[in-house]
Amino acid sequence: MNNIVEETKKFALNLSGYEEWQMWLVGGAGLALMFLGYKIKKIAFFVVWFLLGYILTGYLMPIINGAVAEIASSDLWQNLLPIGGGLLVGLMGFSIEKLCVGGACMGLCLMITAQYFGTDIQTMVIGGIIGAVLAGFAVMMMKPASIIATSVAGGYALTLAILTLNGDLNGEELYWPLILAFSAVGALVQFLTTRHDM
């Protein structure tokens, strides 16, 4: 059991397990979310939820690998399971808008918690409580919340892609500054370009 917990922590802090093409897709989706999130709301919700499902399934891969040896030894399953998790969660998010906005806020909060602060139970509970508060606020303020949620999701995805694709960058120092900068730029662009949209 301790081995599985350690593997999960290592994965949460190191995304080098992903293929290069996967990180290019994550980065491209992040850019689209950052700048077009509200304009392509339904597609953006699918992409946000797909990314949440994809990355969260990736976090679970060490546990799945520890439980099923056939999956651990197969490159096909290693690539297909995160995509399947992303599609499953993405299709759900595509159809339910308010749940999608609230869930995206909750999911982003949990992913950032796991990525930056670790995956021990107390940390995840605190991240979940903060995520639930943010989700409730987001549902009350749909347009600004949609813009902010898609900007943060895009900034998060783009940051992960950049830090994974360029191993020379110091992820410890650049993680939060990149997420905050990309999120702010994405939100600003979206607020400016959707002033007249309802």
Side-chain angles (χ1 to χ4, degrees):
M1 184 67 175
N2 286 339
N3 188 29
I4 292 172
V5 171
E6 287 304 313
E7 286 298 313
T8 304
K9 284 181 183 176
K10 272 199 271 186
F11 184 86
L13 297 173
N14 178 12
L15 293 172
S16 62
Y18 286 109
E19 298 287 332
E20 185 175 337
W21 66 269
Q22 292 171 316
M23 294 317 296
W24 280 105
L25 285 177
V26 168
L31 281 172
L33 287 173
M34 276 174 50
F35 296 119
L36 301 171
Y38 190 75
K39 289 273 190 194
I40 55 169
K41 196 164 46 169
K42 286 282 191 188
I43 296 169
F45 287 153
F46 175 80
V47 173
V48 167
W49 280 83
F50 177 84
L51 289 172
L52 288 172
Y54 185 87
I55 293 170
L56 287 173
T57 303
Y59 286 143
L60 295 175
M61 287 305 290
I63 296 169
I64 295 169
N65 290 340
V68 183
E70 292 81 18
I71 292 175
S73 63
S74 170
D75 286 340
L76 178 66
W77 283 113
Q78 295 297 309
N79 290 324
L80 283 182
L81 281 179
I83 292 170
L87 285 173
L88 184 66
V89 176
L91 289 171
M92 180 188 73
F94 182 75
S95 59
I96 310 167
E97 191 170 307
K98 286 188 179 180
L99 177 65
C100 185
V101 171
C105 290
M106 178 80 161
L108 285 168
C109 192
L110 288 173
M111 281 192 330
I112 290 171
T113 301
Q115 176 74 27
Y116 199 70
F117 299 107
T119 56
D120 56 304
I121 191 69
Q122 296 91 347
T123 304
M124 293 304 288
V125 167
I126 292 169
I129 291 169
I130 293 169
V133 170
L134 291 175
F137 181 72
V139 170
M140 291 189 292
M141 314 242 345
M142 279 301 279
K143 180 181 176 182
S146 298
I147 290 173
I148 291 169
T150 56
S151 296
V152 172
Y156 178 77
L158 188 58
T159 298
L160 290 183
I162 288 172
L163 293 178
T164 303
L165 290 169
N166 190 343
D168 296 335
L169 295 176
N170 185 342
E172 296 284 329
E173 291 178 8
L174 294 175
Y175 181 78
W176 281 110
L178 284 176
I179 288 178
L180 294 174
F182 289 146
S183 300
V185 169
L188 179 63
V189 168
Q190 285 194 66
F191 276 118
L192 291 174
T193 58
T194 61
R195 281 184 299 216
H196 306 296
D197 296 347
M198 293 309 280

